[in-house]
Coordinates of all heavy atoms in Angstrom, one line a residue:
M1 N 63.7 -34.3 12.0 CA 63.3 -35.5 11.2 C 63.2 -35.0 9.7 O 62.6 -34.0 9.4 CB 61.9 -36.0 11.7 CG 61.5 -37.2 11.0 SD 59.9 -38.0 11.6 CE 59.8 -37.6 13.3
T2 N 63.8 -35.8 8.9 CA 63.9 -35.5 7.5 C 62.6 -35.9 6.8 O 62.1 -37.0 7.1 CB 65.1 -36.2 6.8 OG1 66.2 -35.8 7.4 CG2 65.1 -35.8 5.3
E3 N 62.0 -35.1 6.0 CA 60.8 -35.4 5.2 C 61.2 -35.8 3.8 O 62.0 -35.2 3.1 CB 59.8 -34.2 5.2 CG 59.2 -33.9 6.4 CD 58.0 -32.9 6.3 OE1 57.5 -32.7 5.2 OE2 57.7 -32.3 7.3
W4 N 60.5 -36.9 3.3 CA 60.7 -37.4 2.0 C 59.3 -37.5 1.3 O 58.4 -38.2 1.8 CB 61.2 -38.8 2.0 CG 62.6 -39.0 2.6 CD1 62.9 -39.0 3.9 CD2 63.8 -39.2 1.9 NE1 64.2 -39.2 4.1 CE2 64.8 -39.3 2.9 CE3 64.1 -39.3 0.6 CZ2 66.1 -39.6 2.5 CZ3 65.4 -39.6 0.2 CH2 66.4 -39.7 1.2
P5 N 59.1 -36.8 0.2 CA 57.9 -37.1 -0.6 C 58.0 -38.5 -1.1 O 59.1 -39.1 -1.3 CB 58.0 -36.1 -1.8 CG 59.0 -35.0 -1.4 CD 59.9 -35.7 -0.4
L6 N 56.9 -39.2 -1.2 CA 56.9 -40.6 -1.5 C 57.7 -40.9 -2.8 O 58.4 -41.9 -2.8 CB 55.4 -41.0 -1.7 CG 55.2 -42.5 -2.0 CD1 55.8 -43.4 -0.9 CD2 53.7 -42.8 -2.2
R7 N 57.6 -40.1 -3.8 CA 58.3 -40.4 -5.0 C 59.8 -40.4 -4.7 O 60.5 -41.3 -5.2 CB 58.0 -39.3 -6.1 CG 58.8 -39.4 -7.3 CD 58.5 -38.4 -8.4 NE 57.1 -38.6 -8.8 CZ 56.4 -37.6 -9.3 NH1 56.8 -36.4 -9.5 NH2 55.1 -37.9 -9.7
D8 N 60.3 -39.4 -4.0 CA 61.7 -39.4 -3.6 C 62.1 -40.6 -2.7 O 63.2 -41.1 -2.9 CB 62.1 -38.1 -2.9 CG 62.0 -36.9 -3.8 OD1 61.9 -37.0 -5.1 OD2 62.0 -35.7 -3.3
A9 N 61.2 -40.9 -1.8 CA 61.5 -42.1 -1.0 C 61.7 -43.3 -1.8 O 62.5 -44.2 -1.5 CB 60.4 -42.2 0.1
K10 N 60.8 -43.5 -2.8 CA 61.0 -44.7 -3.7 C 62.3 -44.7 -4.5 O 63.0 -45.7 -4.5 CB 59.8 -44.7 -4.7 CG 58.5 -45.1 -4.1 CD 57.5 -45.2 -5.3 CE 56.1 -45.1 -4.8 NZ 55.1 -45.1 -6.0
N11 N 62.6 -43.5 -5.0 CA 63.8 -43.4 -5.9 C 65.1 -43.5 -5.1 O 66.1 -43.9 -5.6 CB 63.7 -42.1 -6.7 CG 62.6 -42.1 -7.7 OD1 62.2 -43.1 -8.2 ND2 62.1 -40.9 -8.1
R12 N 65.0 -43.0 -3.8 CA 66.3 -43.0 -3.0 C 66.1 -43.8 -1.7 O 66.5 -43.4 -0.7 CB 66.6 -41.6 -2.7 CG 66.8 -40.7 -4.0 CD 67.5 -39.4 -3.7 NE 68.7 -39.6 -3.0 CZ 69.1 -38.7 -2.0 NH1 68.3 -37.7 -1.7 NH2 70.2 -38.9 -1.4
F13 N 65.5 -45.0 -1.9 CA 65.1 -45.8 -0.7 C 66.4 -46.2 0.1 O 66.4 -46.2 1.3 CB 64.4 -47.1 -1.2 CG 63.8 -47.9 0.0 CD1 62.8 -47.4 0.7 CD2 64.4 -49.1 0.3 CE1 62.3 -48.1 1.8 CE2 63.8 -49.8 1.4 CZ 62.8 -49.3 2.1
S14 N 67.5 -46.5 -0.6 CA 68.7 -46.9 0.1 C 69.2 -45.7 1.0 O 69.6 -45.9 2.2 CB 69.8 -47.2 -0.8 OG 69.5 -48.5 -1.5
A15 N 69.1 -44.5 0.5 CA 69.5 -43.3 1.3 C 68.6 -43.1 2.5 O 69.0 -42.8 3.6 CB 69.5 -42.1 0.4
L16 N 67.3 -43.4 2.3 CA 66.3 -43.2 3.3 C 66.6 -44.2 4.4 O 66.6 -43.9 5.6 CB 64.9 -43.4 2.8 CG 63.7 -43.3 3.7 CD1 62.6 -42.6 3.1 CD2 63.3 -44.7 4.2
V17 N 66.9 -45.5 4.1 CA 67.2 -46.5 5.0 C 68.5 -46.2 5.8 O 68.5 -46.4 7.0 CB 67.2 -47.9 4.3 CG1 67.8 -49.0 5.3 CG2 65.8 -48.3 3.8
N18 N 69.5 -45.8 5.0 CA 70.7 -45.5 5.7 C 70.6 -44.4 6.7 O 71.2 -44.4 7.8 CB 71.8 -45.1 4.6 CG 72.3 -46.3 3.9 OD1 72.2 -47.5 4.3 ND2 72.8 -46.1 2.7
A19 N 69.8 -43.4 6.4 CA 69.6 -42.3 7.3 C 68.8 -42.8 8.6 O 69.1 -42.4 9.7 CB 68.8 -41.1 6.6
A20 N 67.9 -43.7 8.4 CA 67.1 -44.2 9.5 C 68.1 -45.1 10.4 O 68.0 -45.0 11.6 CB 66.0 -45.1 9.0
L21 N 69.0 -45.9 9.7 CA 69.9 -46.7 10.5 C 70.9 -45.8 11.2 O 71.5 -46.2 12.2 CB 70.7 -47.6 9.5 CG 69.8 -48.8 9.0 CD1 70.6 -49.5 7.9 CD2 69.4 -49.7 10.1
A22 N 71.2 -44.6 10.7 CA 72.1 -43.7 11.4 C 71.4 -43.1 12.7 O 72.1 -42.3 13.4 CB 72.5 -42.6 10.5
G23 N 70.2 -43.4 12.9 CA 69.5 -42.9 14.1 C 68.5 -41.8 14.0 O 68.0 -41.3 14.9
E24 N 68.3 -41.4 12.7 CA 67.3 -40.3 12.5 C 66.1 -40.8 11.8 O 66.1 -41.3 10.7 CB 67.9 -39.2 11.6 CG 67.0 -38.0 11.5 CD 67.6 -36.9 10.6 OE1 68.8 -37.0 10.2 OE2 66.8 -36.0 10.2
P25 N 64.9 -40.8 12.5 CA 63.7 -41.3 11.9 C 63.4 -40.4 10.6 O 63.7 -39.3 10.5 CB 62.6 -41.0 12.9 CG 63.4 -41.0 14.2 CD 64.7 -40.4 13.9
Q26 N 62.9 -41.1 9.6 CA 62.6 -40.5 8.3 C 61.1 -40.4 8.1 O 60.4 -41.5 8.1 CB 63.3 -41.2 7.2 CG 64.8 -41.4 7.4 CD 65.5 -40.1 7.4 OE1 65.5 -39.4 6.4 NE2 66.2 -39.8 8.5
L27 N 60.5 -39.3 7.8 CA 59.1 -39.1 7.6 C 58.8 -39.1 6.1 O 59.4 -38.4 5.3 CB 58.7 -37.7 8.2 CG 57.2 -37.3 7.9 CD1 56.3 -38.3 8.7 CD2 57.0 -35.9 8.4
V28 N 57.9 -40.0 5.7 CA 57.5 -40.0 4.3 C 56.1 -39.4 4.1 O 55.2 -39.7 4.9 CB 57.5 -41.5 3.7 CG1 57.1 -41.6 2.3 CG2 58.9 -42.1 3.9
T29 N 56.0 -38.5 3.1 CA 54.7 -37.8 2.9 C 54.1 -38.3 1.6 O 54.8 -38.7 0.7 CB 54.9 -36.3 2.9 OG1 55.8 -36.0 1.8 CG2 55.5 -35.8 4.2
R30 N 52.8 -38.2 1.5 CA 52.1 -38.4 0.3 C 51.1 -37.2 0.1 O 50.3 -36.9 1.0 CB 51.3 -39.7 0.4 CG 50.5 -40.0 -0.9 CD 49.5 -41.2 -0.7 NE 50.3 -42.4 -0.7 CZ 49.8 -43.6 -0.3 NH1 48.6 -43.6 0.2 NH2 50.5 -44.6 -0.3
R31 N 51.3 -36.6 -1.0 CA 50.5 -35.3 -1.3 C 50.6 -34.3 -0.2 O 49.7 -33.7 0.2 CB 49.0 -35.7 -1.5 CG 48.8 -36.6 -2.8 CD 47.3 -36.8 -3.0 NE 47.2 -37.9 -3.9 CZ 46.7 -39.1 -3.6 NH1 46.3 -39.3 -2.4 NH2 46.7 -40.1 -4.5
G32 N 51.8 -34.2 0.4 CA 52.1 -33.2 1.4 C 51.7 -33.6 2.8 O 52.0 -32.9 3.7
R33 N 51.1 -34.8 3.0 CA 50.7 -35.2 4.3 C 51.6 -36.3 4.8 O 51.9 -37.3 4.1 CB 49.3 -35.8 4.2 CG 48.2 -34.8 4.0 CD 46.9 -35.6 4.2 NE 45.7 -34.9 3.9 CZ 44.6 -35.5 3.5 NH1 44.6 -36.8 3.4 NH2 43.5 -34.8 3.3
P34 N 51.9 -36.3 6.1 CA 52.8 -37.4 6.7 C 52.0 -38.7 6.6 O 50.8 -38.7 7.0 CB 53.0 -36.9 8.1 CG 52.6 -35.5 8.2 CD 51.7 -35.2 7.0
V35 N 52.6 -39.8 6.2 CA 51.9 -41.1 6.1 C 52.7 -42.2 6.9 O 52.0 -43.0 7.5 CB 51.6 -41.5 4.7 CG1 50.5 -40.7 4.1 CG2 52.9 -41.5 3.8
V36 N 54.0 -42.2 6.8 CA 54.7 -43.2 7.6 C 56.1 -42.6 8.1 O 56.5 -41.6 7.5 CB 55.1 -44.4 6.7 CG1 53.8 -45.2 6.3 CG2 55.9 -44.1 5.5
V37 N 56.6 -43.3 9.1 CA 57.9 -42.9 9.6 C 58.8 -44.2 9.5 O 58.3 -45.3 9.9 CB 57.9 -42.4 11.0 CG1 59.3 -42.3 11.6 CG2 57.1 -41.2 11.1
V38 N 59.9 -44.0 8.9 CA 60.9 -45.2 8.8 C 61.9 -45.0 9.9 O 62.5 -43.9 10.0 CB 61.5 -45.2 7.4 CG1 62.6 -46.3 7.3 CG2 60.5 -45.3 6.3
L39 N 62.1 -46.0 10.7 CA 63.1 -45.9 11.7 C 63.8 -47.3 11.9 O 63.3 -48.3 11.4 CB 62.6 -45.5 13.1 CG 61.3 -46.2 13.6 CD1 61.7 -47.0 14.8 CD2 60.3 -45.2 13.9
A40 N 65.0 -47.3 12.5 CA 65.8 -48.5 12.7 C 65.0 -49.4 13.6 O 64.3 -49.0 14.5 CB 67.1 -48.1 13.3
V41 N 65.3 -50.7 13.4 CA 64.6 -51.8 14.2 C 64.9 -51.6 15.7 O 64.1 -51.8 16.5 CB 65.0 -53.2 13.7 CG1 64.6 -54.3 14.7 CG2 64.4 -53.4 12.3
D42 N 66.2 -51.2 16.0 CA 66.6 -51.0 17.4 C 65.7 -50.0 18.1 O 65.3 -50.1 19.2 CB 68.1 -50.6 17.5 CG 69.0 -51.8 17.1 OD1 68.5 -52.9 17.1 OD2 70.1 -51.5 16.8
E43 N 65.5 -48.9 17.3 CA 64.7 -47.8 17.9 C 63.2 -48.2 18.0 O 62.5 -48.0 19.0 CB 64.8 -46.6 17.0 CG 63.9 -45.4 17.4 CD 64.4 -44.8 18.8 OE1 65.5 -45.2 19.3 OE2 63.7 -43.9 19.3
Y44 N 62.7 -49.0 17.0 CA 61.4 -49.5 17.1 C 61.2 -50.4 18.3 O 60.2 -50.3 19.1 CB 61.0 -50.3 15.8 CG 59.7 -51.0 15.8 CD1 58.5 -50.3 15.7 CD2 59.7 -52.4 16.0 CE1 57.3 -51.0 15.8 CE2 58.5 -53.0 16.1 CZ 57.3 -52.3 15.9 OH 56.1 -53.0 16.0
E45 N 62.1 -51.3 18.5 CA 62.1 -52.2 19.7 C 62.1 -51.5 21.0 O 61.4 -51.8 21.9 CB 63.2 -53.3 19.6 CG 63.0 -54.3 18.5 CD 61.7 -55.1 18.6 OE1 61.2 -55.4 19.7 OE2 61.2 -55.5 17.5
R46 N 63.0 -50.5 21.1 CA 63.1 -49.6 22.3 C 61.7 -49.0 22.6 O 61.2 -49.0 23.7 CB 64.1 -48.6 22.1 CG 64.4 -47.8 23.4 CD 65.4 -46.6 23.1 NE 64.8 -45.6 22.3 CZ 64.0 -44.6 22.7 NH1 63.7 -44.6 24.0 NH2 63.6 -43.7 21.9
L47 N 61.1 -48.4 21.5 CA 59.8 -47.8 21.7 C 58.7 -48.8 22.1 O 57.9 -48.5 23.0 CB 59.4 -47.0 20.5 CG 60.2 -45.8 20.1 CD1 59.8 -45.3 18.7 CD2 60.1 -44.8 21.1
R48 N 58.7 -50.0 21.6 CA 57.8 -51.0 21.9 C 57.9 -51.4 23.4 O 57.0 -51.6 24.1 CB 58.0 -52.3 21.1 CG 57.6 -52.1 19.6 CD 56.1 -52.2 19.5 NE 55.7 -53.5 20.1 CZ 54.7 -54.3 19.7 NH1 54.1 -54.0 18.6 NH2 54.4 -55.3 20.4
Q49 N 59.2 -51.6 23.9 CA 59.4 -51.9 25.3 C 58.9 -50.8 26.2 O 58.4 -51.1 27.2 CB 60.9 -52.2 25.5 CG 61.3 -53.5 24.9 CD 62.8 -53.7 25.0 OE1 63.5 -52.9 25.5 NE2 63.3 -54.9 24.5
L50 N 59.1 -49.6 25.8 CA 58.6 -48.5 26.6 C 57.1 -48.5 26.7 O 56.5 -48.3 27.8 CB 59.1 -47.1 26.1 CG 60.5 -46.7 26.3 CD1 60.8 -45.4 25.6 CD2 60.7 -46.5 27.8
E51 N 56.5 -48.8 25.6 CA 55.0 -48.8 25.5 C 54.5 -49.9 26.4 O 53.6 -49.8 27.2 CB 54.6 -49.0 24.1 CG 53.1 -49.1 23.9 CD 52.7 -49.3 22.5 OE1 52.7 -50.5 22.1 OE2 52.4 -48.3 21.8
E52 N 55.1 -51.1 26.3 CA 54.7 -52.3 27.1 C 54.9 -52.0 28.6 O 54.1 -52.4 29.4 CB 55.4 -53.5 26.7 CG 54.9 -54.0 25.3 CD 55.7 -55.2 24.8 OE1 56.6 -55.7 25.5 OE2 55.5 -55.6 23.6
A53 N 56.0 -51.3 29.0 CA 56.3 -51.1 30.4 C 55.3 -50.1 31.0 O 55.0 -50.2 32.1 CB 57.7 -50.5 30.5
D54 N 54.8 -49.2 30.2 CA 53.8 -48.2 30.7 C 52.4 -48.7 30.6 O 51.5 -48.0 31.2 CB 53.9 -46.9 29.8 CG 55.2 -46.1 30.1 OD1 55.8 -46.4 31.2 OD2 55.6 -45.3 29.3
T55 N 52.1 -49.8 30.0 CA 50.8 -50.3 29.9 C 50.4 -51.1 31.1 O 51.0 -52.1 31.4 CB 50.6 -51.1 28.6 OG1 51.0 -50.4 27.5 CG2 49.2 -51.6 28.4
P56 N 49.4 -50.6 31.8 CA 49.0 -51.4 33.0 C 48.3 -52.7 32.7 O 47.6 -52.7 31.6 CB 48.1 -50.4 33.8 CG 47.5 -49.5 32.7 CD 48.6 -49.4 31.7
T57 N 48.4 -53.7 33.5 CA 47.7 -54.9 33.3 C 46.3 -54.8 33.9 O 46.1 -54.0 34.8 CB 48.5 -56.1 33.9 OG1 48.5 -55.9 35.3 CG2 49.9 -56.3 33.3
L58 N 45.4 -55.7 33.5 CA 44.1 -55.7 34.2 C 44.2 -56.0 35.6 O 43.6 -55.4 36.5 CB 43.2 -56.7 33.5 CG 41.8 -56.9 34.1 CD1 41.0 -55.6 34.1 CD2 41.0 -58.0 33.4
G59 N 45.0 -57.0 36.0 CA 45.2 -57.3 37.4 C 45.8 -56.1 38.2 O 45.3 -55.9 39.3
G60 N 46.7 -55.4 37.6 CA 47.3 -54.2 38.3 C 46.2 -53.2 38.5 O 46.2 -52.5 39.6
L61 N 45.4 -52.9 37.5 CA 44.3 -52.0 37.7 C 43.3 -52.4 38.7 O 42.8 -51.5 39.5 CB 43.6 -51.8 36.3 CG 44.4 -51.1 35.2 CD1 43.6 -51.1 33.9 CD2 44.7 -49.6 35.6
L62 N 43.0 -53.7 38.8 CA 42.0 -54.1 39.8 C 42.6 -54.0 41.2 O 41.9 -53.7 42.1 CB 41.6 -55.6 39.5 CG 40.8 -55.8 38.3 CD1 40.6 -57.3 38.0 CD2 39.4 -55.1 38.4
L63 N 43.9 -54.2 41.3 CA 44.5 -54.1 42.6 C 44.6 -52.6 43.1 O 44.7 -52.4 44.3 CB 45.9 -54.7 42.6 CG 45.9 -56.2 42.5 CD1 47.4 -56.7 42.3 CD2 45.3 -56.8 43.8
E64 N 44.5 -51.7 42.2 CA 44.6 -50.3 42.5 C 43.2 -49.7 43.0 O 43.2 -48.6 43.5 CB 45.0 -49.5 41.3 CG 46.5 -49.7 41.0 CD 46.9 -48.9 39.8 OE1 46.2 -48.0 39.3 OE2 48.1 -49.1 39.3
I65 N 42.1 -50.5 42.8 CA 40.8 -50.0 43.3 C 40.9 -49.9 44.8 O 41.2 -50.9 45.5 CB 39.7 -51.0 42.8 CG1 39.6 -51.0 41.3 CG2 38.4 -50.6 43.4 CD1 38.7 -52.1 40.8
P66 N 40.4 -48.8 45.3 CA 40.4 -48.7 46.8 C 39.5 -49.7 47.4 O 38.4 -50.0 46.9 CB 39.9 -47.3 47.0 CG 40.0 -46.6 45.7 CD 40.0 -47.6 44.7
Q67 N 40.0 -50.3 48.5 CA 39.2 -51.3 49.1 C 38.9 -50.8 50.6 O 39.8 -50.5 51.3 CB 40.0 -52.7 49.2 CG 40.3 -53.2 47.8 CD 41.1 -54.5 47.9 OE1 41.3 -55.0 49.0 NE2 41.5 -54.9 46.8
D68 N 37.6 -50.8 50.9 CA 37.3 -50.4 52.2 C 36.0 -51.1 52.6 O 35.3 -51.8 51.7 CB 37.1 -48.9 52.3 CG 36.1 -48.3 51.3 OD1 35.2 -49.0 50.8 OD2 36.2 -47.1 51.0
D69 N 35.6 -51.0 53.8 CA 34.4 -51.7 54.3 C 33.2 -50.8 54.4 O 32.2 -51.1 55.1 CB 34.7 -52.4 55.6 CG 35.7 -53.5 55.5 OD1 35.7 -54.1 54.4 OD2 36.4 -53.8 56.4
H70 N 33.3 -49.6 53.8 CA 32.2 -48.7 53.9 C 31.0 -49.0 53.0 O 31.3 -49.6 51.9 CB 32.6 -47.3 53.6 CG 33.7 -46.8 54.5 ND1 33.5 -46.5 55.8 CD2 35.1 -46.6 54.3 CE1 34.6 -46.1 56.4 NE2 35.6 -46.2 55.5
D71 N 29.8 -48.7 53.4 CA 28.7 -49.0 52.5 C 28.6 -47.9 51.5 O 29.0 -46.8 51.7 CB 27.4 -49.0 53.4 CG 27.3 -50.2 54.3 OD1 27.8 -51.2 53.9 OD2 26.7 -50.0 55.4
F72 N 28.1 -48.3 50.3 CA 27.9 -47.3 49.3 C 26.6 -46.6 49.5 O 25.6 -47.1 50.1 CB 27.7 -48.0 47.9 CG 29.0 -48.6 47.4 CD1 29.3 -49.9 47.5 CD2 29.9 -47.8 46.8 CE1 30.5 -50.5 47.0 CE2 31.1 -48.3 46.3 CZ 31.4 -49.6 46.4
E73 N 26.6 -45.3 49.2 CA 25.4 -44.5 49.3 C 24.6 -44.6 48.0 O 25.1 -44.2 46.9 CB 25.8 -43.0 49.6 CG 24.6 -42.1 49.9 CD 25.1 -40.7 50.2 OE1 26.1 -40.6 51.0 OE2 24.5 -39.8 49.7
W74 N 23.4 -45.1 48.1 CA 22.6 -45.3 46.9 C 21.9 -44.0 46.6 O 21.4 -43.3 47.4 CB 21.6 -46.4 47.2 CG 22.2 -47.8 47.3 CD1 22.6 -48.4 48.4 CD2 22.5 -48.6 46.2 NE1 23.1 -49.6 48.1 CE2 23.1 -49.8 46.7 CE3 22.4 -48.5 44.8 CZ2 23.6 -50.8 46.0 CZ3 22.9 -49.6 44.0 CH2 23.4 -50.7 44.6
M75 N 21.9 -43.7 45.3 CA 21.2 -42.5 44.9 C 19.7 -42.9 44.5 O 19.5 -43.9 43.9 CB 21.8 -42.0 43.6 CG 23.3 -41.5 43.8 SD 24.1 -41.0 42.3 CE 23.0 -39.8 41.6
S76 N 18.8 -42.1 45.0 CA 17.4 -42.3 44.6 C 17.1 -41.6 43.3 O 17.1 -40.4 43.3 CB 16.5 -41.9 45.8 OG 16.6 -40.5 45.9
I77 N 16.9 -42.3 42.3 CA 16.6 -41.7 41.0 C 15.2 -42.2 40.7 O 14.8 -43.3 40.6 CB 17.5 -42.3 39.9 CG1 19.0 -41.9 40.3 CG2 17.2 -41.7 38.6 CD1 20.0 -42.5 39.4
P78 N 14.3 -41.2 40.4 CA 12.9 -41.5 40.0 C 12.8 -42.3 38.7 O 13.6 -42.0 37.8 CB 12.2 -40.1 39.9 CG 13.3 -39.1 39.8 CD 14.5 -39.7 40.3
A79 N 11.9 -43.2 38.6 CA 11.7 -44.0 37.4 C 11.2 -43.1 36.3 O 10.5 -42.1 36.5 CB 10.7 -45.1 37.7
R80 N 11.6 -43.5 35.1 CA 11.1 -42.7 33.9 C 9.6 -43.1 33.7 O 9.2 -44.2 33.9 CB 11.9 -43.0 32.7 CG 13.3 -42.6 32.8 CD 14.0 -42.8 31.5 NE 13.7 -44.1 30.9 CZ 14.3 -44.6 29.8 NH1 15.2 -43.9 29.2 NH2 14.0 -45.7 29.3
P81 N 8.9 -42.1 33.2 CA 7.5 -42.5 32.9 C 7.4 -43.5 31.7 O 8.2 -43.4 30.8 CB 6.8 -41.2 32.5 CG 8.0 -40.2 32.3 CD 9.2 -40.7 32.9
F82 N 6.5 -44.4 31.8 CA 6.3 -45.4 30.8 C 5.2 -45.0 29.8 O 4.1 -44.6 30.2 CB 5.9 -46.8 31.5 CG 5.7 -47.8 30.5 CD1 6.8 -48.5 29.8 CD2 4.4 -48.3 30.2 CE1 6.5 -49.5 28.9 CE2 4.2 -49.3 29.3 CZ 5.2 -49.9 28.6
S83 N 5.5 -45.1 28.5 CA 4.5 -44.7 27.6 C 4.5 -45.8 26.5 O 5.5 -46.3 26.1 CB 4.7 -43.4 26.9 OG 6.0 -43.3 26.3
E84 N 3.3 -46.1 26.0 CA 3.2 -47.1 25.0 C 3.1 -46.6 23.6 O 2.7 -45.6 23.2 CB 1.9 -48.0 25.2 CG 2.1 -48.8 26.5 CD 0.9 -49.7 26.7 OE1 0.1 -49.9 25.8 OE2 0.7 -50.1 27.8

């Protein structure tokens, strides 16, 4: 991944966009720290679809809860002392 200081990214924005369109994400830094990544829309959409495919739904999670007819074992926990 190519790194661009923010100043260079501003001055050479067309080159940055062309590199991203060529399939290589571009990292923009500010004061030496990574702040954003520029990538092609196709790659962004592909990553979004992967994220959505891996994200479980609430219904799916509820269906994964083991279901059995066993009683729960209650823990006996002493009450805390009350002070005014």
